[in-house]
């Protein structure tokens, strides 16, 4: 007799690095039950970072009352906290910050909830552009340093 398949919920997450134009992004498939510790490792790999700096996840919460309520809260225990505990509906977002000196902020957007079987493997399925190098000064600095479009000299200035 054949055993019933184990169904696994998988999240299609779009990871976008803030402050980059054109945007640097990846689309990953990860299990709903992935711990934030393992998600951090996955993000380091798919974004091309070297895991040389501190990081944190910040859960965006809607403002419930008054100006003193906290909009975001840092996640304390990444080894126990699972992604599915923080986001679960399409459109939900989570912030991943890496390298507090350079200030790389990544938006994790839940695009789709999929069903897989026990053979499901997390993977990167799409993306655009390479990440900037470590310790380059952050998004504002790389945008200023990127080459501008060459200007043609007019015949008057030649």
């Amino acid at each position: 007799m054949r055993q019933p398949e184990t169904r696994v919920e998988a999240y299609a997450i779009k990871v976008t690095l803030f402050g980059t134009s054109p945007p640097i992004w990846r689309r990953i498939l990860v299990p709903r039950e992935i711990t934030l510790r393992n998600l951090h490792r996955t993000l380091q790999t798919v974004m091309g970072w070297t895991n040389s700096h501190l990081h944190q996840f910040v859960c965006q919460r809607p403002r419930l009352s008054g100006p003193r309520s906290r909009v975001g809260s840092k996640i304390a225990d990444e080894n126990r906290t699972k992604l599915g505990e923080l986001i679960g509906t399409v459109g939900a977002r989570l912030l991943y910050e890496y390298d507090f000196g350079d200030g790389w902020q990544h938006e994790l957007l839940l695009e789709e909830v999929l069903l897989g079987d026990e053979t499901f493997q997390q993977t990167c399925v799409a993306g655009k552009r390479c990440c900037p190098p470590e310790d380059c000064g952050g998004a504002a600095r790389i945008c200023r340093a990127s080459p501008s479009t060459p200007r043609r000299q007019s015949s008057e200035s030649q």
Side-chain angles (χ1 to χ4, degrees), residues 39-93:
L39 180 59
H40 158 70
R41 291 178 182 141
T42 298
L43 292 169
Q44 288 291 300
T45 300
V46 301
M47 294 305 288
W49 299 122
T50 61
N51 200 18
S52 303
H53 301 280
L54 296 174
H55 73 278
Q56 69 182 359
F57 288 92
V58 179
C59 187
Q60 302 297 312
R61 302 267 187 218
R63 193 176 294 268
L64 299 175
S65 62
R68 291 189 175 177
S69 64
R70 297 180 70 191
V71 175
S73 58
K74 297 175 188 174
I75 310 306
D77 189 350
E78 292 182 5
N79 292 318
R80 285 195 212 154
T81 305
K82 296 182 179 176
L83 181 60
E85 296 169 7
L86 302 174
I87 59 174
T89 57
V90 171
R93 300 169 194 275

Side-chain angles (χ1 to χ4, degrees), residues 148-154 157-158:
S148 60
T149 306
R151 294 184 185 174
R152 298 178 86 182
Q153 290 185 341
S154 70
S157 64
Q158 291 180 358

